[in-house]
Every structure is written in structure tokens, then in C-alpha cells.
């Protein structure tokens, strides 16, 4: 849980990650955009701040372990469905 608190709960992390999500020339983003064509809804596990999900679909659900990421996503993309969910070894 320390990693979650130290890395995924900072604004700086999501600003850096957003740059990667906005790179639509990246082979991974090209693949995602192609796979998402014509789909009614997308489920993004590990959605972060929602940038990638908002690029590939206007109808999607995002799940992330970071409360910070979900808070940012809700502010930036209010039409997306996003929520925090964390599975740990305690059940």
C-alpha cells in the first residue's frame, strides 16, 4: 500500500501519465483506438485520470485504485463513469 500512497496519489504523476495517453501515434494507443472503434462502451481497468478513456470512447467506465486519480477524472470528464476499487489479499 505504500507505493499507492507515494506514487499514485500525486498530481505530478498524473500530469506525466497524461502525456503518454495523449500520444495517439504510440503503437499502444493506435491499437486501443482501433479496438475501440464501433464499441458501445469501454471498460478501462487502471484508468488513472481518465485521459486515455476519454480519447478512445465517450461512453466508458473507468476503475482505478487511486482515489486521487478518480477525483481528477471526475473533475476533468464528468460524463465518464469512474470509481475507486482496490483488491488486496485481505479479501
Amino acid at each position: 500500500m505504500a507505493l499507492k500512497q507515494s506514487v499514485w496519489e500525486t498530481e505530478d504523476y498524473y500530469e506525466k501519465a497524461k502525456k503518454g495517453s495523449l500520444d495517439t501515434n504510440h503503437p499502444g494507443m493506435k491499437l486501443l483506438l482501433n479496438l475501440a472503434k464501433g464499441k458501445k462502451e469501454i471498460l478501462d481497468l487502471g484508468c488513472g485520470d481518465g485521459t486515455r478513456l476519454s480519447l478512445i470512447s465517450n461512453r466508458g467506465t473507468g476503475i482505478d485504485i487511486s482515489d486521487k486519480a478518480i477525483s481528477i477524472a471526475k473533475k476533468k470528464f464528468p460524463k465518464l463513469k469512474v470509481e475507486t476499487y482496490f483488491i488486496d489479499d485481505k479479501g
Side-chain angles (χ1 to χ4, degrees):
M1 195 80 136
L3 183 62
K4 177 185 175 214
Q5 293 171 348
S6 65
V7 177
W8 296 310
E9 296 301 320
T10 65
E11 294 272 345
D12 185 52
Y13 173 82
Y14 294 102
E15 280 302 310
K16 290 176 183 173
K18 179 173 70 174
K19 291 177 186 176
S21 293
L22 292 173
D23 182 3
T24 56
N25 289 316
H26 186 280
M29 280 303 292
K30 285 182 178 182
L31 177 63
L32 284 174
L33 289 165
N34 189 44
L35 290 171
K37 282 183 186 174
K39 303 297 186 265
K40 291 182 181 178
E41 191 164 344
I42 302 294
L43 174 61
D44 185 356
L45 301 174
C47 68
D49 72 352
T51 300
R52 182 181 51 250
L53 180 58
S54 72
L55 283 174
I56 61 174
S57 177
N58 61 359
R59 300 181 75 186
T61 300
I63 297 173
D64 202 282
I65 66 169
S66 169
D67 292 328
K68 183 67 157 183
I70 296 302
S71 174
I72 295 168
K74 285 181 177 181
K75 288 177 188 169
K76 286 173 51 177
F77 309 107
K79 293 184 180 184
L80 292 178
K81 295 180 280 183
V82 291
E83 66 180 79
T84 305
Y85 194 79
F86 183 75
I87 300 172
D88 62 16
D89 58 356
K90 297 175 186 151

